[in-house]
Amino acid sequence: MIQRIQSVYLFLMSACAIVCMCLPIGRFVNDGKLLAEWTNLSLTTADGISNYESWALIVLLFFVAVVSLLNIFLFKRRMLQVRITIFAGFLLLGYCLVYGLFVYRFLGRFDGSQFIFSWATSLPVIAMILDYLAFRGIMKDEMLIR
């Protein structure tokens, strides 16, 4: 049934991914002066020049959002739902790894700068926690049926 608690977790996981896609995820500053603002799609310098090198981040979040929303409606096929939930968890883990790689890479470009994380950076971590809770709920239903 769609009213299960794991459906709520999957929906909230998708909402976290969508909100994170829309918000800036960090800033590069040097002595209080903004050097660049970073979104999931691009890095925009203070001059207004955009670099779309980090496009992979928005693609990963897009797939997490779509997979999570579609996963809600697979309630009759619980084992497929479990596999898709695990896949979404791996996508979120991949997002965190790619995010860290880009932070390291961009810090090399802005020598002596400081990176300030945005609060939106925590949303993929929250989505991973929700993914785990959804996984537990789906497995609980599967064990109840068997």
Side-chain angles (χ1 to χ4, degrees), residues 109-129:
R109 288 188 190 166
F110 301 111
D111 290 330
S113 67
Q114 174 184 351
F115 182 70
I116 299 173
F117 293 94
S118 171
W119 68 271
T121 307
S122 65
L123 291 175
V125 176
I126 293 169
M128 283 198 309
I129 294 168

Side-chain angles (χ1 to χ4, degrees), residues 10-11 14-15 18 63-74:
L10 290 169
F11 177 76
S14 180
I18 291 170
F63 279 127
V64 167
V66 170
V67 164
S68 299
L69 279 178
L70 293 178
N71 203 8
I72 293 171
F73 300 104
L74 293 174

Side-chain angles (χ1 to χ4, degrees), residues 54-141:
S54 62
W55 60 269
L57 293 173
I58 201 162
V59 170
L60 286 169
L61 284 177
F62 175 77
F63 279 127
V64 167
V66 170
V67 164
S68 299
L69 279 178
L70 293 178
N71 203 8
I72 293 171
F73 300 104
L74 293 174
F75 56 89
K76 290 183 181 178
R77 300 183 63 195
R78 284 174 299 283
M79 289 315 291
L80 177 62
Q81 200 175 27
V82 165
R83 289 186 195 109
I84 291 174
T85 304
I86 291 170
F87 176 69
F90 281 124
L91 285 176
L92 286 166
L93 183 64
Y95 173 86
C96 292
L97 293 174
V98 171
Y99 179 83
L101 177 74
F102 276 120
V103 167
Y104 177 74
R105 194 169 177 187
F106 289 149
L107 275 175
R109 288 188 190 166
F110 301 111
D111 290 330
S113 67
Q114 174 184 351
F115 182 70
I116 299 173
F117 293 94
S118 171
W119 68 271
T121 307
S122 65
L123 291 175
V125 176
I126 293 169
M128 283 198 309
I129 294 168
L130 291 168
D131 184 62
Y132 173 71
L133 292 173
F135 171 77
R136 279 187 36 195
I138 296 166
M139 287 305 293
K140 183 179 171 185
D141 278 357

